[in-house]
Protein backbone atom coordinates (compact mmCIF):
# COMPACT_ATOMS: atom_id res chain seq x y z
CA UNK A 1 0.00 0.00 0.00
CA UNK A 2 0.99 3.62 -0.30
CA UNK A 3 1.80 3.94 3.39
CA UNK A 4 4.37 1.15 3.07
CA UNK A 5 6.06 3.01 0.22
CA UNK A 6 6.17 6.31 2.11
CA UNK A 7 7.60 4.61 5.16
CA UNK A 8 10.37 3.04 3.08
CA UNK A 9 11.15 6.32 1.32
CA UNK A 10 11.64 8.20 4.58
CA UNK A 11 14.18 5.60 5.67
CA UNK A 12 16.21 6.08 2.47
CA UNK A 13 16.69 9.82 2.90
CA UNK A 14 18.10 11.88 5.73
CA UNK A 15 19.85 8.87 7.28
CA UNK A 16 16.48 7.56 8.42
CA UNK A 17 15.83 10.71 10.46
CA UNK A 18 13.03 12.03 8.25
CA UNK A 19 9.78 12.22 10.21
CA UNK A 20 6.67 11.05 8.41
CA UNK A 21 3.24 12.51 9.13
CA UNK A 22 0.28 11.12 7.20
CA UNK A 23 -2.53 13.29 5.85
CA UNK A 24 -5.92 11.91 6.87
CA UNK A 25 -8.76 12.87 4.53
CA UNK A 26 -11.42 13.72 7.07
CA UNK A 27 -13.50 15.20 4.26
CA UNK A 28 -13.82 11.74 2.69
CA UNK A 29 -15.03 10.33 6.00
CA UNK A 30 -17.48 13.18 6.53
CA UNK A 31 -19.03 13.37 3.07
CA UNK A 32 -20.92 10.13 3.25
CA UNK A 33 -22.62 8.42 1.42
CA UNK A 34 -20.37 9.40 -1.50
CA UNK A 35 -17.22 9.23 0.64
CA UNK A 36 -15.59 6.41 2.56
CA UNK A 37 -17.25 3.71 4.64
CA UNK A 38 -17.84 4.70 8.26
CA UNK A 39 -14.81 2.87 9.70
CA UNK A 40 -12.20 3.68 7.02
CA UNK A 41 -10.58 6.65 8.74
CA UNK A 42 -10.32 4.71 12.00
CA UNK A 43 -8.62 1.84 10.14
CA UNK A 44 -6.12 4.32 8.71
CA UNK A 45 -5.44 5.74 12.17
CA UNK A 46 -4.87 2.25 13.56
CA UNK A 47 -2.43 1.52 10.73
CA UNK A 48 -0.50 4.71 11.51
CA UNK A 49 -0.32 3.80 15.20
CA UNK A 50 1.22 0.39 14.44
CA UNK A 51 4.17 1.82 12.51
CA UNK A 52 7.32 2.86 14.27
CA UNK A 53 8.49 5.13 11.43
CA UNK A 54 5.27 7.14 11.17
CA UNK A 55 5.24 10.01 13.64
CA UNK A 56 1.61 11.04 13.40
CA UNK A 57 -1.17 12.28 11.22
CA UNK A 58 -2.85 15.49 10.14
CA UNK A 59 -6.59 15.80 9.53
CA UNK A 60 -7.97 17.76 6.56
CA UNK A 61 -10.11 19.88 6.89
CA UNK A 62 -10.90 21.52 10.24
CA UNK A 63 -14.40 22.53 9.15
CA UNK A 64 -15.55 18.93 9.60
CA UNK A 65 -14.70 19.11 13.30
CA UNK A 66 -17.09 22.05 13.62
CA UNK A 67 -19.89 20.08 11.98
CA UNK A 68 -19.06 16.83 13.82
CA UNK A 69 -21.78 14.96 11.91
CA UNK A 70 -19.94 11.61 11.84
CA UNK A 71 -18.05 11.49 15.17
CA UNK A 72 -15.06 13.46 13.83
CA UNK A 73 -14.22 14.94 17.24
CA UNK A 74 -14.37 11.59 19.01
CA UNK A 75 -12.23 9.93 16.34
CA UNK A 76 -9.55 12.60 16.61
CA UNK A 77 -9.56 12.55 20.43
CA UNK A 78 -8.87 8.82 20.39
CA UNK A 79 -6.00 9.37 17.98
CA UNK A 80 -4.30 12.21 19.84
CA UNK A 81 -4.70 10.98 23.41
CA UNK A 82 -1.99 8.35 22.95
Amino acid sequence: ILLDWWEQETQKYGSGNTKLYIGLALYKHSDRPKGWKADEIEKQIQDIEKRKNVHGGVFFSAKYFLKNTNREIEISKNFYKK
Side-chain angles (χ1 to χ4, degrees), residues 1-10 18-26 36 40-41 43-60 79-80:
I1 65 174
L2 191 55
L3 186 52
D4 295 329
W5 180 83
W6 273 114
E7 194 173 19
Q8 291 170 6
E9 288 297 301
T10 58
T18 303
K19 293 188 177 185
L20 177 60
Y21 295 87
I22 302 300
L24 296 159
L26 195 58
W36 288 336
E40 177 61 31
I41 197 116
K43 286 180 183 177
Q44 290 182 16
I45 291 169
Q46 290 167 358
D47 198 15
I48 288 171
E49 291 172 335
K50 292 177 191 173
R51 295 168 184 266
K52 66 177 185 167
N53 295 319
V54 178
H55 290 84
V58 180
F59 291 97
F60 293 93
F79 180 55
Y80 286 111

Side-chain angles (χ1 to χ4, degrees), residues 27-38:
Y27 60 93
K28 289 190 177 185
H29 167 79
S30 300
D31 286 340
R32 285 187 263 146
K34 62 183 177 181
W36 288 336
K37 293 180 182 176

Side-chain angles (χ1 to χ4, degrees), residues 46-79:
Q46 290 167 358
D47 198 15
I48 288 171
E49 291 172 335
K50 292 177 191 173
R51 295 168 184 266
K52 66 177 185 167
N53 295 319
V54 178
H55 290 84
V58 180
F59 291 97
F60 293 93
S61 155
K63 69 181 178 181
Y64 296 103
F65 290 117
L66 297 174
K67 293 178 183 179
N68 197 36
T69 54
N70 291 306
R71 298 179 42 253
E72 290 84 357
I73 292 173
E74 292 80 8
I75 290 168
S76 65
K77 280 183 181 178
N78 289 335
F79 180 55

